[in-house]
């Protein structure tokens, strides 16, 4: 079994100095939330082999770096988690890392709609499934999934993961 934490970056400023979306940095509220997420994720990664993967966009990088600092881990950047990347690309990347890395916990920090859709597909097996699955992630929120391992090359995680915990801004709901 492997745990997969899927997180949406914390709250960002509305504009960047460059005018480019990928350069938007965390707001003061977002910086606080990123630090909180670091503490929450540290509880999951403690005494486990873990990796943190993030988009390179400023707000996800900052969120991922705060989480990495809270966990005492290094962060890796993944282009397949970049802004507007499709869920299918994210699912493929998760499956590759589950197959190839000797980990107990994989932490992803990305953007919506991709992160919400990836979580939903891993739990429900299809995009936009009702009833089963994961509610959309707002900024600074995440979900912890349990994935079956080992995963063979011909296998897919779609529909095989189950929700262990959700981190919501309002209440830190534990399922």
């Amino acid at each position: 079994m492997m745990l997969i934490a899927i997180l949406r970056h914390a709250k960002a400023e509305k504009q960047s100095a460059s005018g480019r979306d990928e350069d938007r940095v965390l707001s003061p509220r977002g910086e606080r939330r990123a630090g909180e997420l670091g503490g929450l994720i540290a509880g999951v990664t403690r005494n486990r082999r873990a990796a943190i993967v993030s988009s390179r966009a400023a707000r996800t990088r900052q969120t991922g770096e705060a989480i990495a600092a809270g966990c005492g881990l290094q962060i890796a950047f993944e282009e397949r988690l970049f802004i507007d990347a499709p869920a299918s690309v994210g699912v493929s990347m998760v499956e590759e890392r589950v197959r190839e890395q000797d980990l107990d916990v994989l932490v992803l920090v990305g953007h919506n709609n991709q992160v919400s859709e990836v979580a939903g597909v891993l739990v429900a097996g299809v995009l936009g499934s009702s009833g089963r699955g994961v509610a959309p992630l707002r900024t600074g929120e995440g979900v912890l999934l349990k994935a079956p391992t080992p995963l063979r090359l011909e296998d897919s995680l779609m529909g095989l993961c189950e929700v262990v915990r959700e981190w919501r801004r309002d209440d830190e709901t534990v399922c």
Side-chain angles (χ1 to χ4, degrees), residues 40-85:
L40 293 168
I41 300 300
V44 174
T45 61
R46 190 170 292 116
N47 299 319
R48 291 185 168 124
R49 296 163 300 167
I52 300 174
V53 183
S54 172
S55 160
R56 285 188 185 276
R59 59 193 178 272
T60 50
R61 181 178 35 78
Q62 287 177 295
T63 303
E65 287 170 346
I67 293 168
C71 299
L73 297 169
Q74 297 294 314
I75 187 170
F77 298 103
E78 174 61 66
E79 294 305 316
R80 292 177 284 184
L81 293 174
F82 205 67
I83 302 164
D84 296 328

Side-chain angles (χ1 to χ4, degrees), residues 8-14 24-38 59 62-63 66 137-141 168-170 172:
R8 184 174 174 194
H9 62 78
K11 189 74 173 171
E13 296 290 351
K14 296 211 181 293
R24 291 191 303 132
V25 298
L26 294 180
S27 67
R29 185 173 107 194
E31 290 174 356
R32 285 190 301 278
R33 181 60 179 164
E36 292 169 3
L37 288 170
R59 59 193 178 272
Q62 287 177 295
T63 303
L137 299 173
R138 298 178 297 170
T139 55
E141 293 187 338
R168 299 293 177 175
R169 292 187 316 223
D170 303 337
E172 299 312 328

